[in-house]
Amino acid sequence: MNSAADRTRGARRTTPRRGPAGALLSGALVLAVLTGCSNSEPTLPEVTRATSADAGVVSTAPDGVQEITLETGDDYAFTPAAFTVAPGPVRLTVRNTAEQLTHNFLFTKGKGPADIAEQIPFLGPGDSKTIEFTAGAPGDYPFECSFHLALGQVGTMTVSAP
């Protein structure tokens, strides 16, 4: 006679057995799918780098041009994110202190009182580049790193009233 063990010995198993690794993989897959479908804003890293003492300080050079230095790094932020200049010539330097990320700098077209065409198209880790332009009409001029705009790497230059 056949015992119950003999009858199941050759039968195929229809329910897969999942161990801890299979359960973990399934859970990770479900979490990845749900996270990818989320409409919430991404959590941005906080600025954790130390900035130079001259970052964000507007000074006037001997030639009468206003000078300011911004810094950016591996944290998707400009430091400072806002600064104010008077109408007139401006010399703006962007210093990338990142070890991994490349950035760029441009004024957001069509968002300020007047367009400022000067930009820094590419700024590799450790690079520093300078642009010169004339700040004209008073108001707020948004700027951005277009590489990381979706991550919130933006700022504002305010041109004060004369």
Side-chain angles (χ1 to χ4, degrees), residues 16-140:
R17 183 176 273 182
R18 290 190 179 119
L24 184 61
L25 182 59
S26 296
L29 181 59
V30 168
L31 182 61
V33 169
L34 291 176
T35 303
C37 294
S38 171
N39 287 333
S40 64
E41 292 292 320
T43 302
L44 301 177
E46 293 182 29
V47 176
T48 56
R49 62 190 151 79
T51 57
S52 302
D54 66 339
V57 177
V58 178
S59 61
T60 303
D63 62 0
V65 176
Q66 299 169 90
E67 294 182 318
I68 182 155
T69 298
L70 304 182
E71 286 186 356
T72 187
D74 286 323
D75 52 13
Y76 309 109
F78 289 108
T79 305
F83 62 93
T84 301
V85 295
V90 176
R91 188 175 296 128
L92 183 137
T93 300
V94 181
R95 186 169 35 224
N96 184 2
T97 61
E99 293 181 17
Q100 298 178 6
L101 293 178
T102 57
H103 296 281
N104 67 0
F105 176 93
L106 59 121
F107 287 95
T108 308
K109 189 168 180 68
K111 296 290 184 177
D115 284 340
I116 299 175
E118 289 76 13
Q119 61 179 287
I120 298 171
F122 183 83
L123 197 60
D127 286 348
S128 180
K129 294 188 180 168
T130 302
I131 57 174
E132 292 189 30
F133 56 91
T134 300
D140 291 338

